[in-house]
Amino acid sequence: MVRVAVGVKRVIDYAVKIRVKPDGSGVVKDSVKHSMNPFCEIAVEEAVRLKEKKIAKEIVAFTIGPKQSAETLRTALAMGCDRGVHVNVDQAQLDALTPLQISKMAAKIAETEAADLLLMGKLAIDGDYGQTAAMTAAILDWPQATNLYSLQHNGDSATVEREIDGGLETNEIKTPAVLSVDLRINQPRYATLPNIMKAKKKKVKAVKPADLGVDVAPTLNVIKVAEPPVRAAGEIVEDVDTLISKLKDAGRI
Amino acid sequence: MLRSVRKGAKYQRALSASSPIFPGSGLNEDQLVWQDAAQKWGAAELGPFSAEWDAKCHYPIDVIKSSAEQGFLGLYTSEDVGGMGLSRLETSIVVEALSEHCVPTTAMMTIHNMVSWMIDVNGTPEQREEYCPRLTSGEIIGSYCLTEPGSGSDASALATTCVRDGDDYVLNGSKCFISGAGVHDLYAVMVRTDPATKGPKGISCVLIPKDTPGLSFGADETKMGWKSHPTKVLIMENCRVPVSNLLGVEGKGFNIAMSGLNGGRVNIASCSLGGAQKAMLAAKEHLGVRKAFGKTLDSQQYLQYKMAELATQLVTSRLMVRHAAAAIDQKDPAAASLCAMAKLHATDNCSEVANGCLQMFGGYGYLKDYPCEQIVRDLRVHSILEGANEVMRLIISRQLLSE
């Protein structure tokens, strides 16, 4: 049976209306509802199902974030993960971290926790990078399969279906591997009240980025954050000739 | 989460913590977690179906039973019999969050919770073991039976007789307006065991399982609201139960009934809060979309001020309910009158909020396609049951003026 590590991230809740700070330095986060990244929930669900199928013997959930990320970890534990690892960085540091730095930490955790499978969401809805899973696999020199629609674990290998633009692509990859999940692979269970209570007793290990050998000094400088331009009204034209001349005037053709 | 959206829940922008009607205001981390869990489940399992259940008078007993694994069927019942052991304040927070998605189903769940607690606290070890784990797991669902055709507010004048005959009690009489009657498995019934004593001290509480010979039910009432669950008359004709079904001791039945009702009143008031919250969110959205006289309705000062008033009614109700819940938790000696106050204030004010929000929709508010008319119909009974609001005034004034 394998040990699964699953990464979870605390992000602004998907239903919140995002507001840009007046100084353009970022988005408003204070007093704004945060939740587990929806794709991370799906990854946790997939991990818990592996345990229910008796393929996984233990699930370790890990997160990188400020002390509020402990709530996100507790949700993962309430959904069925066995224990947690919390890499402590403050909110400002977290906002400045790049997928490369995150991947280095994730790779180290996979090693120190002796994981046979590393699961994560295909992307986080705040950064929208979608790079972490692939980078982590490269650092670990493990096979990777991203944007999973289905996962079948076969011991030394796994058969996966990936959602690609053209449809579904079926791959067989060797394990251990890094896998990232897409929206339709499963529907996550609720963290029930009884399980939330039980999760309080599950162990969470506190770790610093330095313990993982990763430097969190910013390598990326965000110059400006702005709302996308307001969508302008369209224009209805009389006939095709007018359409063509307008497109030419706008430099489109 | 996306689960609720994928299941067909209406996608709705989350309220920020700066909103005066933000329900998480003043709550600690744990309480916010309970609230969030209840919100998510309610949004996915209740919200998308509430209107349909109302229209078809369909009782979603399977959904209620499924809520057991969420811990919703034994919120303040002890953990050793399968309950969650939450405080009344935490319970109120959960109930309020659920009722935002379906008032009648949540209200029915709270009645079941009340019965479960009554047995938990007043039952013998055998009774607790016999009933509570099955109640908290949803294997059996409970109903509470106090009101009779001849006695509602004058509850202690109840007339159902309960006569000892060997190792049994024989019951004769009827109860009315019983929620869940005919479908539920266990009935906690207040009966008169001492015919010589006319008032509360002659009353006992007896547990009657559904298929007991001599127990039957009337026809389903046709109601203004709470249409999704059955409400029937309960008839006892030489209905025989073993004496071991007596809850507590003879003569203590009225106390048991009333102590259950303190929590029941906070529960019903909490259900009013959820309904009003849903109405406010719907009205707020409508005002930002609907145009009249060249601008959106939320530019009209009268409507702005009216919404401010309705919001204030909602939040004062919420504060009173949470205060009363905390009073039960702290064994505050004023708890009974605070619960009466909370029930009186929240049920009436939240009905006004729902009605005010309906008005915001104009003609559309009168249509079943919009949420307010169902909320108004569902909340109306909250000012009547679990102690009519007139009786709440009696309870408050009696305590207030006695010292």
Side-chain angles (χ1 to χ4, degrees), chain B residues 47-83:
Chain B
F49 313 106
S50 180
E52 189 190 330
W53 292 336
D54 171 76
K56 295 185 176 162
C57 296
H58 168 76
Y59 187 30
I61 184 112
D62 52 331
V63 176
I64 290 180
K65 287 186 181 229
S66 79
S67 77
E69 66 174 353
Q70 308 294 323
F72 295 154
L73 294 186
L75 289 166
Y76 51 105
T77 308
S78 302
E79 287 175 84
D80 69 324
V81 286

mmCIF file of all heavy atoms in Angstrom, chain B residues 47-83:
data_model
loop_
_atom_site.group_PDB
_atom_site.id
_atom_site.type_symbol
_atom_site.label_atom_id
_atom_site.label_comp_id
_atom_site.label_asym_id
_atom_site.label_seq_id
_atom_site.Cartn_x
_atom_site.Cartn_y
_atom_site.Cartn_z
ATOM 1 N N GLY B 47 -31.196 23.822 -0.707
ATOM 2 C CA GLY B 47 -31.528 25.006 -1.487
ATOM 3 C C GLY B 47 -32.148 24.759 -2.849
ATOM 4 O O GLY B 47 -33.203 25.316 -3.180
ATOM 5 N N PRO B 48 -31.511 23.901 -3.676
ATOM 6 C CA PRO B 48 -32.045 23.738 -5.036
ATOM 7 C C PRO B 48 -33.422 23.071 -5.075
ATOM 8 O O PRO B 48 -34.081 23.111 -6.111
ATOM 9 C CB PRO B 48 -31.015 22.825 -5.716
ATOM 10 C CG PRO B 48 -29.806 22.860 -4.852
ATOM 11 C CD PRO B 48 -30.278 23.138 -3.471
ATOM 12 N N PHE B 49 -33.850 22.471 -3.961
ATOM 13 C CA PHE B 49 -35.078 21.660 -3.983
ATOM 14 C C PHE B 49 -36.217 22.241 -3.159
ATOM 15 O O PHE B 49 -37.348 21.771 -3.237
ATOM 16 C CB PHE B 49 -34.770 20.247 -3.476
ATOM 17 C CG PHE B 49 -33.542 19.666 -4.102
ATOM 18 C CD1 PHE B 49 -32.360 19.556 -3.376
ATOM 19 C CD2 PHE B 49 -33.545 19.270 -5.431
ATOM 20 C CE1 PHE B 49 -31.202 19.056 -3.968
ATOM 21 C CE2 PHE B 49 -32.397 18.771 -6.025
ATOM 22 C CZ PHE B 49 -31.224 18.662 -5.295
ATOM 23 N N SER B 50 -35.925 23.264 -2.368
ATOM 24 C CA SER B 50 -36.910 23.770 -1.416
ATOM 25 C C SER B 50 -38.216 24.186 -2.085
ATOM 26 O O SER B 50 -39.305 23.864 -1.600
ATOM 27 C CB SER B 50 -36.300 24.956 -0.649
ATOM 28 O OG SER B 50 -37.219 25.455 0.277
ATOM 29 N N ALA B 51 -38.117 24.893 -3.203
ATOM 30 C CA ALA B 51 -39.325 25.370 -3.879
ATOM 31 C C ALA B 51 -40.131 24.198 -4.431
ATOM 32 O O ALA B 51 -41.365 24.175 -4.365
ATOM 33 C CB ALA B 51 -38.951 26.330 -4.999
ATOM 34 N N GLU B 52 -39.421 23.210 -4.953
ATOM 35 C CA GLU B 52 -40.102 22.046 -5.527
ATOM 36 C C GLU B 52 -40.810 21.253 -4.437
ATOM 37 O O GLU B 52 -41.949 20.798 -4.597
ATOM 38 C CB GLU B 52 -39.069 21.172 -6.224
ATOM 39 C CG GLU B 52 -39.646 20.046 -7.046
ATOM 40 C CD GLU B 52 -38.562 19.073 -7.507
ATOM 41 O OE1 GLU B 52 -37.409 19.514 -7.701
ATOM 42 O OE2 GLU B 52 -38.888 17.876 -7.645
ATOM 43 N N TRP B 53 -40.125 21.062 -3.298
ATOM 44 C CA TRP B 53 -40.745 20.336 -2.194
ATOM 45 C C TRP B 53 -42.012 21.048 -1.733
ATOM 46 O O TRP B 53 -43.007 20.410 -1.417
ATOM 47 C CB TRP B 53 -39.763 20.214 -1.022
ATOM 48 C CG TRP B 53 -38.573 19.344 -1.280
ATOM 49 C CD1 TRP B 53 -38.474 18.322 -2.189
ATOM 50 C CD2 TRP B 53 -37.313 19.400 -0.622
ATOM 51 N NE1 TRP B 53 -37.223 17.748 -2.125
ATOM 52 C CE2 TRP B 53 -36.496 18.389 -1.170
ATOM 53 C CE3 TRP B 53 -36.786 20.202 0.401
ATOM 54 C CZ2 TRP B 53 -35.181 18.162 -0.752
ATOM 55 C CZ3 TRP B 53 -35.484 19.971 0.826
ATOM 56 C CH2 TRP B 53 -34.688 18.961 0.253
ATOM 57 N N ASP B 54 -41.954 22.384 -1.699
ATOM 58 C CA ASP B 54 -43.104 23.178 -1.279
ATOM 59 C C ASP B 54 -44.252 23.005 -2.278
ATOM 60 O O ASP B 54 -45.390 22.762 -1.906
ATOM 61 C CB ASP B 54 -42.683 24.653 -1.172
ATOM 62 C CG ASP B 54 -43.848 25.590 -0.946
ATOM 63 O OD1 ASP B 54 -44.360 25.641 0.184
ATOM 64 O OD2 ASP B 54 -44.260 26.263 -1.924
ATOM 65 N N ALA B 55 -43.915 23.098 -3.565
ATOM 66 C CA ALA B 55 -44.950 23.031 -4.612
ATOM 67 C C ALA B 55 -45.622 21.662 -4.639
ATOM 68 O O ALA B 55 -46.829 21.545 -4.843
ATOM 69 C CB ALA B 55 -44.338 23.338 -5.970
ATOM 70 N N LYS B 56 -44.825 20.618 -4.411
ATOM 71 C CA LYS B 56 -45.372 19.252 -4.518
ATOM 72 C C LYS B 56 -45.773 18.680 -3.165
ATOM 73 O O LYS B 56 -46.186 17.515 -3.079
ATOM 74 C CB LYS B 56 -44.323 18.325 -5.160
ATOM 75 C CG LYS B 56 -44.006 18.697 -6.584
ATOM 76 C CD LYS B 56 -43.061 17.698 -7.226
ATOM 77 C CE LYS B 56 -42.845 18.075 -8.693
ATOM 78 N NZ LYS B 56 -41.653 17.447 -9.258
ATOM 79 N N CYS B 57 -45.626 19.450 -2.103
ATOM 80 C CA CYS B 57 -45.878 18.936 -0.751
ATOM 81 C C CYS B 57 -45.128 17.620 -0.547
ATOM 82 O O CYS B 57 -45.669 16.636 -0.027
ATOM 83 C CB CYS B 57 -47.374 18.727 -0.489
ATOM 84 S SG CYS B 57 -48.301 20.270 -0.536
ATOM 85 N N HIS B 58 -43.873 17.618 -0.973
ATOM 86 C CA HIS B 58 -43.062 16.401 -0.876
ATOM 87 C C HIS B 58 -42.187 16.457 0.367
ATOM 88 O O HIS B 58 -41.496 17.439 0.588
ATOM 89 C CB HIS B 58 -42.165 16.276 -2.115
ATOM 90 C CG HIS B 58 -41.112 15.224 -1.972
ATOM 91 N ND1 HIS B 58 -41.381 13.869 -2.074
ATOM 92 C CD2 HIS B 58 -39.795 15.314 -1.654
ATOM 93 C CE1 HIS B 58 -40.271 13.187 -1.865
ATOM 94 N NE2 HIS B 58 -39.293 14.024 -1.615
ATOM 95 N N TYR B 59 -42.230 15.399 1.169
ATOM 96 C CA TYR B 59 -41.453 15.372 2.404
ATOM 97 C C TYR B 59 -40.109 14.686 2.154
ATOM 98 O O TYR B 59 -40.058 13.482 1.954
ATOM 99 C CB TYR B 59 -42.228 14.647 3.506
ATOM 100 C CG TYR B 59 -41.574 14.722 4.866
ATOM 101 C CD1 TYR B 59 -40.797 15.821 5.231
ATOM 102 C CD2 TYR B 59 -41.734 13.700 5.795
ATOM 103 C CE1 TYR B 59 -40.204 15.892 6.478
ATOM 104 C CE2 TYR B 59 -41.152 13.772 7.046
ATOM 105 C CZ TYR B 59 -40.383 14.875 7.382
ATOM 106 O OH TYR B 59 -39.801 14.957 8.629
ATOM 107 N N PRO B 60 -39.004 15.447 2.198
ATOM 108 C CA PRO B 60 -37.690 14.872 1.888
ATOM 109 C C PRO B 60 -37.079 14.158 3.085
ATOM 110 O O PRO B 60 -35.983 14.497 3.542
ATOM 111 C CB PRO B 60 -36.878 16.103 1.495
ATOM 112 C CG PRO B 60 -37.449 17.194 2.333
ATOM 113 C CD PRO B 60 -38.910 16.902 2.497
ATOM 114 N N ILE B 61 -37.784 13.133 3.575
ATOM 115 C CA ILE B 61 -37.314 12.446 4.781
ATOM 116 C C ILE B 61 -35.973 11.769 4.529
ATOM 117 O O ILE B 61 -35.141 11.682 5.442
ATOM 118 C CB ILE B 61 -38.368 11.439 5.309
ATOM 119 C CG1 ILE B 61 -37.894 10.815 6.616
ATOM 120 C CG2 ILE B 61 -38.636 10.339 4.297
ATOM 121 C CD1 ILE B 61 -38.673 11.216 7.796
ATOM 122 N N ASP B 62 -35.736 11.374 3.265
ATOM 123 C CA ASP B 62 -34.453 10.728 2.965
ATOM 124 C C ASP B 62 -33.301 11.721 3.107
ATOM 125 O O ASP B 62 -32.213 11.373 3.586
ATOM 126 C CB ASP B 62 -34.474 10.134 1.547
ATOM 127 C CG ASP B 62 -34.909 11.160 0.507
ATOM 128 O OD1 ASP B 62 -35.682 12.080 0.847
ATOM 129 O OD2 ASP B 62 -34.486 11.043 -0.657
ATOM 130 N N VAL B 63 -33.551 12.965 2.714
ATOM 131 C CA VAL B 63 -32.514 13.993 2.852
ATOM 132 C C VAL B 63 -32.270 14.294 4.330
ATOM 133 O O VAL B 63 -31.126 14.438 4.774
ATOM 134 C CB VAL B 63 -32.925 15.287 2.105
ATOM 135 C CG1 VAL B 63 -31.914 16.384 2.333
ATOM 136 C CG2 VAL B 63 -33.076 15.003 0.621
ATOM 137 N N ILE B 64 -33.357 14.346 5.100
ATOM 138 C CA ILE B 64 -33.215 14.579 6.543
ATOM 139 C C ILE B 64 -32.381 13.459 7.160
ATOM 140 O O ILE B 64 -31.456 13.705 7.922
ATOM 141 C CB ILE B 64 -34.590 14.690 7.219
ATOM 142 C CG1 ILE B 64 -35.277 15.985 6.789
ATOM 143 C CG2 ILE B 64 -34.465 14.615 8.734
ATOM 144 C CD1 ILE B 64 -36.648 16.204 7.383
ATOM 145 N N LYS B 65 -32.708 12.219 6.829
ATOM 146 C CA LYS B 65 -31.944 11.096 7.380
ATOM 147 C C LYS B 65 -30.484 11.161 6.953
ATOM 148 O O LYS B 65 -29.589 10.852 7.724
ATOM 149 C CB LYS B 65 -32.575 9.769 6.954
ATOM 150 C CG LYS B 65 -33.869 9.477 7.683
ATOM 151 C CD LYS B 65 -34.424 8.088 7.365
ATOM 152 C CE LYS B 65 -35.724 7.877 8.120
ATOM 153 N NZ LYS B 65 -35.771 6.604 8.840
ATOM 154 N N SER B 66 -30.240 11.606 5.707
ATOM 155 C CA SER B 66 -28.855 11.663 5.225
ATOM 156 C C SER B 66 -28.063 12.737 5.966
ATOM 157 O O SER B 66 -26.836 12.708 5.971
ATOM 158 C CB SER B 66 -28.821 11.931 3.723
ATOM 159 O OG SER B 66 -29.033 13.302 3.458
ATOM 160 N N SER B 67 -28.778 13.682 6.593
ATOM 161 C CA SER B 67 -28.064 14.740 7.294
ATOM 162 C C SER B 67 -27.438 14.225 8.582
ATOM 163 O O SER B 67 -26.632 14.920 9.210
ATOM 164 C CB SER B 67 -28.998 15.918 7.598
ATOM 165 O OG SER B 67 -29.835 15.623 8.701
ATOM 166 N N ALA B 68 -27.816 13.008 8.990
ATOM 167 C CA ALA B 68 -27.266 12.443 10.221
ATOM 168 C C ALA B 68 -25.750 12.343 10.158
ATOM 169 O O ALA B 68 -25.058 12.619 11.141
ATOM 170 C CB ALA B 68 -27.873 11.071 10.495
ATOM 171 N N GLU B 69 -25.218 11.959 8.993
ATOM 172 C CA GLU B 69 -23.754 11.806 8.934
ATOM 173 C C GLU B 69 -23.042 13.157 9.008
ATOM 174 O O GLU B 69 -21.847 13.219 9.284
ATOM 175 C CB GLU B 69 -23.323 11.010 7.704
ATOM 176 C CG GLU B 69 -23.601 11.683 6.392
ATOM 177 C CD GLU B 69 -23.009 10.915 5.218
ATOM 178 O OE1 GLU B 69 -22.278 9.938 5.439
ATOM 179 O OE2 GLU B 69 -23.283 11.306 4.072
ATOM 180 N N GLN B 70 -23.818 14.235 8.781
ATOM 181 C CA GLN B 70 -23.241 15.562 8.961
ATOM 182 C C GLN B 70 -23.307 15.972 10.432
ATOM 183 O O GLN B 70 -22.801 17.023 10.808
ATOM 184 C CB GLN B 70 -24.031 16.601 8.129
ATOM 185 C CG GLN B 70 -24.211 16.255 6.668
ATOM 186 C CD GLN B 70 -22.909 16.241 5.907
ATOM 187 O OE1 GLN B 70 -22.023 17.046 6.136
ATOM 188 N NE2 GLN B 70 -22.758 15.297 4.988
ATOM 189 N N GLY B 71 -23.989 15.182 11.236
ATOM 190 C CA GLY B 71 -24.139 15.512 12.647
ATOM 191 C C GLY B 71 -25.346 16.377 12.938
ATOM 192 O O GLY B 71 -25.523 16.851 14.067
ATOM 193 N N PHE B 72 -26.222 16.572 11.932
ATOM 194 C CA PHE B 72 -27.302 17.544 12.097
ATOM 195 C C PHE B 72 -28.510 16.997 12.848
ATOM 196 O O PHE B 72 -29.435 17.742 13.121
ATOM 197 C CB PHE B 72 -27.757 18.072 10.731
ATOM 198 C CG PHE B 72 -26.706 18.866 9.997
ATOM 199 C CD1 PHE B 72 -26.734 18.941 8.606
ATOM 200 C CD2 PHE B 72 -25.696 19.539 10.665
ATOM 201 C CE1 PHE B 72 -25.770 19.661 7.909
ATOM 202 C CE2 PHE B 72 -24.725 20.271 9.975
ATOM 203 C CZ PHE B 72 -24.768 20.322 8.590
ATOM 204 N N LEU B 73 -28.526 15.698 13.158
ATOM 205 C CA LEU B 73 -29.719 15.154 13.817
ATOM 206 C C LEU B 73 -29.539 14.975 15.324
ATOM 207 O O LEU B 73 -30.406 14.420 15.998
ATOM 208 C CB LEU B 73 -30.149 13.837 13.156
ATOM 209 C CG LEU B 73 -30.638 13.975 11.717
ATOM 210 C CD1 LEU B 73 -31.182 12.645 11.211
ATOM 211 C CD2 LEU B 73 -31.717 15.046 11.602
ATOM 212 N N GLY B 74 -28.413 15.447 15.852
ATOM 213 C CA GLY B 74 -28.205 15.349 17.301
ATOM 214 C C GLY B 74 -27.280 16.465 17.723
ATOM 215 O O GLY B 74 -26.317 16.253 18.452
ATOM 216 N N LEU B 75 -27.570 17.670 17.252
ATOM 217 C CA LEU B 75 -26.628 18.783 17.415
ATOM 218 C C LEU B 75 -26.274 19.033 18.871
ATOM 219 O O LEU B 75 -25.103 19.196 19.206
ATOM 220 C CB LEU B 75 -27.207 20.060 16.787
ATOM 221 C CG LEU B 75 -27.252 20.065 15.259
ATOM 222 C CD1 LEU B 75 -28.137 21.191 14.753
ATOM 223 C CD2 LEU B 75 -25.864 20.209 14.687
ATOM 224 N N TYR B 76 -27.317 19.069 19.745
ATOM 225 C CA TYR B 76 -27.012 19.319 21.155
ATOM 226 C C TYR B 76 -27.316 18.117 22.026
ATOM 227 O O TYR B 76 -27.479 18.232 23.237
ATOM 228 C CB TYR B 76 -27.697 20.607 21.666
ATOM 229 C CG TYR B 76 -29.182 20.746 21.420
ATOM 230 C CD1 TYR B 76 -30.109 20.568 22.438
ATOM 231 C CD2 TYR B 76 -29.670 21.111 20.159
ATOM 232 C CE1 TYR B 76 -31.461 20.741 22.228
ATOM 233 C CE2 TYR B 76 -31.033 21.280 19.938
ATOM 234 C CZ TYR B 76 -31.925 21.094 20.980
ATOM 235 O OH TYR B 76 -33.273 21.266 20.769
ATOM 236 N N THR B 77 -27.355 16.941 21.384
ATOM 237 C CA THR B 77 -27.484 15.692 22.135
ATOM 238 C C THR B 77 -26.080 15.233 22.529
ATOM 239 O O THR B 77 -25.113 15.538 21.835
ATOM 240 C CB THR B 77 -28.173 14.638 21.240
ATOM 241 O OG1 THR B 77 -29.370 15.200 20.719
ATOM 242 C CG2 THR B 77 -28.497 13.371 22.005
ATOM 243 N N SER B 78 -25.988 14.486 23.644
ATOM 244 C CA SER B 78 -24.667 14.097 24.161
ATOM 245 C C SER B 78 -23.904 13.193 23.205
ATOM 246 O O SER B 78 -24.478 12.372 22.498
ATOM 247 C CB SER B 78 -24.825 13.355 25.489
ATOM 248 O OG SER B 78 -25.498 14.152 26.413
ATOM 249 N N GLU B 79 -22.590 13.350 23.242
ATOM 250 C CA GLU B 79 -21.726 12.590 22.334
ATOM 251 C C GLU B 79 -21.770 11.097 22.607
ATOM 252 O O GLU B 79 -21.640 10.290 21.681
ATOM 253 C CB GLU B 79 -20.281 13.095 22.449
ATOM 254 C CG GLU B 79 -20.102 14.465 21.797
ATOM 255 C CD GLU B 79 -18.731 15.052 21.990
ATOM 256 O OE1 GLU B 79 -17.844 14.711 21.200
ATOM 257 O OE2 GLU B 79 -18.540 15.858 22.921
ATOM 258 N N ASP B 80 -21.987 10.709 23.867
ATOM 259 C CA ASP B 80 -21.953 9.277 24.166
ATOM 260 C C ASP B 80 -23.127 8.519 23.563
ATOM 261 O O ASP B 80 -23.122 7.288 23.512
ATOM 262 C CB ASP B 80 -21.873 9.018 25.683
ATOM 263 C CG ASP B 80 -23.152 9.411 26.400
ATOM 264 O OD1 ASP B 80 -23.775 10.418 25.995
ATOM 265 O OD2 ASP B 80 -23.535 8.722 27.357
ATOM 266 N N VAL B 81 -24.153 9.244 23.102
ATOM 267 C CA VAL B 81 -25.253 8.564 22.409
ATOM 268 C C VAL B 81 -25.314 8.998 20.943
ATOM 269 O O VAL B 81 -26.359 8.919 20.312
ATOM 270 C CB VAL B 81 -26.618 8.775 23.112
ATOM 271 C CG1 VAL B 81 -26.702 7.953 24.376
ATOM 272 C CG2 VAL B 81 -26.875 10.241 23.380
ATOM 273 N N GLY B 82 -24.209 9.443 20.404
ATOM 274 C CA GLY B 82 -24.128 9.743 18.977
ATOM 275 C C GLY B 82 -24.386 11.186 18.602
ATOM 276 O O GLY B 82 -24.440 11.519 17.416
ATOM 277 N N GLY B 83 -24.582 12.041 19.608
ATOM 278 C CA GLY B 83 -24.822 13.442 19.285
ATOM 279 C C GLY B 83 -23.519 14.204 19.101
ATOM 280 O O GLY B 83 -22.439 13.668 19.294
#
